[in-house]
Amino acid sequence: MIPVVAIDGPSGSGKGAVGFAVARALGWHYLDSGAVYRALAFVALRAGADLGSESVIAALAKTLDLQFVEDLSGEMHVLVNNEDCGQELRSERVAAAASQVAAHPAARAALLERQRAARRAPGLIADGRDMGTVVFPDAQLKVFLTASAEVRAERRYRQLKQTGFGGTLPQLLAEIQERDERDSRRAVAPLKPAEDACLLDSSALSLTEVIERVLALVHSRVGAVSSS
Ligand code: DC
């Protein structure tokens, strides 16, 4: 059985940076499931589709042409219809749309097998909202990574500032709270810890500390970790 480590949590909890670094350290594959929903939102926005229409969004999900490509410097690029989405995929506009399209059960169902196909030897680190509850319920280790909304908004603010973001911190905090609310309340695959998840609050921890803690959990839970 190919091991999977699920890292779930709200936006800004650091799942992405932690998941990528842990996958690197182990020589495992990495699935950024948020990028899958962002890519779907990206094509929906481009097509001027009605984000509230489940059938329209599910049809786009079924034909989504998506590739993750790592460049020579190790940076991950998301290609949609062979086009590098670049920073646009990380924008707040796409994030808000991703949270909307992700609420449609038929769209989630259409993306399920694609996510499961990322489980390849020697192992997978999967980050998102429902990795431990729905996509990989048999994951060998489930981590639910969180941090207070204020800390998450500040982290996001610092990140976005570097890309020329013109918004304010209170505005970001409100957006993050709105997204948490929608992701946690939706009927299907809501944002919540799996019953057997290890809860990790990163509010007072540095990125390096969180990575070390997750690696320690992997080594103790997954047993003899084989890397590529
Ligand atoms: O992790 P992220 O911010 O890139 O995710 C963007 C949106 O996608 C998020 O608001 C909710 C949705 N999402 C989801 O519903 N399920 C996942 N496994 C990952 C993301």
Side-chain angles (χ1 to χ4, degrees):
M1 178 57 94
I2 299 168
V4 176
V5 171
I7 306 182
D8 289 304
S11 29
S13 57
K15 310 178 298 304
V18 171
F20 190 68
V22 169
R24 261 294 152 73
L26 297 171
W28 285 14
H29 299 281
Y30 168 62
L31 170 66
D32 173 1
S33 64
V36 177
Y37 289 98
R38 284 172 187 260
L40 175 59
F42 179 86
V43 289
L45 288 170
R46 275 276 172 97
D50 175 2
L51 302 183
S53 164
E54 178 159 12
S55 56
V56 169
I57 299 302
L60 288 174
K62 282 182 194 145
T63 56
L64 185 65
D65 175 2
L66 173 66
Q67 294 170 70
F68 290 96
V69 179
E70 200 175 324
D71 69 19
L72 290 175
S73 66
E75 203 185 321
M76 198 64 94
H77 296 264
V78 183
L79 307 190
V80 177
N81 298 327
N82 286 322
E83 180 193 340
D84 189 341
C85 305
Q87 284 304 323
E88 202 179 333
L89 207 71
R90 300 282 143 212
S91 70
E92 286 304 292
R93 177 171 170 260
V94 169
S99 167
Q100 280 174 269
V101 298
H104 296 306
R108 301 193 74 85
L111 297 174
L112 195 57
E113 283 316 312
R114 184 190 291 264
Q115 294 173 81
R116 289 190 174 147
R119 186 175 200 164
R120 284 179 286 130
L124 176 71
I125 305 292
D127 102 48
R129 305 291 187 291
D130 61 342
M131 297 296 99
T133 51
V134 176
V135 183
F136 302 109
D138 62 339
Q140 280 74 5
L141 169 66
K142 300 175 185 177
V143 177
F144 194 82
L145 190 60
T146 188
S148 70
E150 288 73 17
V151 167
R152 291 187 285 120
E154 262 173 48
R155 285 180 186 160
R156 192 89 186 102
Y157 184 67
R158 267 185 266 131
Q159 242 177 22
L160 288 173
K161 267 282 174 208
Q162 292 168 1
T163 63
F165 170 73
T168 66
L169 185 56
Q171 185 190 333
L172 257 186
L173 178 60
E175 278 171 17
I176 280 195
Q177 284 167 330
E178 187 188 325
R179 199 134 49 94
D180 284 356
E181 174 83 5
R182 186 167 36 220
D183 294 345
S184 312
R185 284 183 176 246
R186 68 178 176 227
V188 62
L191 168 66
K192 66 162 193 215
E195 274 174 19
D196 48 350
C198 304
L199 302 187
L200 185 52
D201 186 332
S202 74
S203 304
L205 299 175
S206 69
L207 179 60
T208 311
E209 286 169 324
V210 181
I211 293 167
E212 279 166 4
R213 287 196 193 195
V214 174
L215 276 172
L217 282 170
V218 177
H219 286 289
S220 70
R221 292 293 186 86
V222 184
V225 172
S226 61
S227 44
S228 59

